[in-house]
Amino acid sequence: MIPIVALLLCGPAALLATAILAAAFSRHTAATRLVYGAAFVISAALLAIVAGHLVGNPGEASASLPLGLPWTGARFRLDGLSAFFLIVVNLGGTITSLYALGYGRHESQPHRVLPFYPAFLAGMNLVVLANDAFSFLLSWEFMSLASWALVMAHHRDEANRRAGYIYLVMASFGTMALLLAFGLLAGPAGTYAFDAMRMAHPGPLAAGAVLVLMLLGAGSKAGLVPLHAWLPLAHPAAPSHVSALMSGIMTKVAIYGFIRVVFDLLGAPAWWSGVAVLLIGGVTAVLGILHALMEKDLKRLLAYSTIENIGVIFASLGLALAFKANAMPSAAALAFTAALFHVLNHSFFKSLLFFGAGAVLTSTGERDMEKLGGLIHRLPVTSFVFLVGCVSISALPPFNGFASEWLVFQAILRSPELPQWGLKVIVPAVGGMLALAAALAAACFVKAFGITFLGRARSAVVERAHEVDRWSLAAMAVLAAFCLLAGILPGFILDGLSPVTLSLIGDRMPVQMAEPWLSIVPIAESRSSYNGLLVFAFIAISASLAAFFIHRFASHALRRGIAWGCGFADAVPAAQYTAVSFAQPIRRVFGGFAFRARETVEMPAPGSLEPARLKVDMHDVAWEIFYQPITGAIDFATERLNHLQFLTIRRYLTLVFLYLVTLLLVLALWP
């Protein structure tokens, strides 16, 4: 019988073989169907293998290959944590490949996408399976380069080239931080195997440095503020199905790397580590959704929304660290389970929303919400499933976003039991930030759905829009069903996450399937409980009864009236609400400190027929504080160093001589 890890490694090998064949035959007319079909089959097979392993034998398994560093090899391991994230990766890969079977036919340059798509899936699988630092970093960098190539698929666009450049720089920075973190974990012994790192137990100073480096390395890939600069540029630049993979899946691989090191390899945490992760998560959640609210580009809005959800996950992980450091395993298990549950939920509804944005882009050729509107009449199925995604990401019951965020707040309510006063103050403050982010997320996706799908068409191309292909609709329908099922039956998922929580925290949530009526009880029934199935039944029955009584007993007379046109007698589409006007009240409240927003109104003189103009000037504060000084310093240094290429041979030899003398002096004086 083939060992489970060796069987799983056949999947990335098959994906890499598919990538090589795609590079050779990507210009063939059948290449799109064959490549995405192969990716679908391979991802589905990997998903079935991991799920079968968890059901039949949830233990650990490992394997080694004679590759990589000399006398080290490449080590791979399957445990509860890697199995969960393999399910996230391959479930996302399966549904995305199904969507791409239809969406990929509209790709203008498929030969720039097809070879790198299966390679991207292979890289994410290898990162999750890696059991030594060398294999992890090699797979991580391979994943980054494959996704960078996908971002650069439409490289003739100047904005896409800039997005690819910034993404490559940030990915290199993140890999360097991870390399330093693993170097500290390896210690004087210099062993790169994860099994040896677990036994090393670094000191407090080294552990703190590793935590900071992991926040920089994994946080830059996940999109933590202020390391998020690449994300709203790269995700919209990529094709929509790749955007779904990057936002819904690749960011979760980054979270896996953080959990693997901080919760598994680093040993017992200090309480202040929870404070750092909590604060970064809370700030990321609020700033991410504020940026999303200001956007009128649908894909950029979704990209910024990913930053908000990453903040929610990291805040929950920080809470788990704080509870674990204070020997509160049940509370830590609750916070950690909530984080993992939100990882899964975000992969569902964010992939669904990017699929919906791709369907809108395919039908209309537009991402700008100001030029859309009225699509609910022309894309009825897409509008319905997009609405499901909007409700889910807004954390409204009975969908899955509410269930996981509700668990996060239940964990926050355990904070009075923490002994440190700093945590007693910070945890409720972060809870308030997450509550604010949840409210702003609801407003953001009211805007996203309303401006895009409701109202009247704002352009002629929207009036001619039609529904997308069956493959794309099927993929979106599957994800919409997952969003509902995970919301009304969360107990199955929470119990499935218990082996992961037990292995890393030492405790687990109570068995949820033992609760009556399929309720979930995170702590005790006397304190809190939630039943998504009953909430769903109540909403469905009450809405049906309301519709019945209105149609049965209300007046049968049909009354038509002119809709209010904001004071305009002629109800032209231009008089409708826009994305910018919808966000104006929130921009005026938060824009001063978050964006340095400034509004300039140009009013014409009395009697003039010139229109009034409103100009809104906003800034990315994180970019201006952290990145502009660095780029300015690099430009200054390169301009000065540019003179070196015009030196004579005599001066070059003089410089080499001076460098050698300096090096010899350093070696001579070194103690």
Side-chain angles (χ1 to χ4, degrees), residues 2 28 73 76 103 131 199 234 257 288 302 310 342 356 390 405 479-480 488 490:
I2 302 176
H28 195 275
F76 300 95
Y103 180 85
N131 195 34
M199 308 303 295
L302 296 177
I310 293 299
H342 201 68
C390 291
E405 292 201 27
L479 285 175
I488 64 177

Side-chain angles (χ1 to χ4, degrees), residues 277-300:
V277 180
L278 261 170
L279 287 175
I280 292 173
V283 171
T284 297
V286 173
L287 289 181
I289 199 61
L290 280 174
H291 276 285
L293 261 166
M294 301 302 115
E295 281 295 330
K296 62 179 183 177
D297 184 307
L298 186 56
K299 289 184 72 174
R300 280 176 63 89

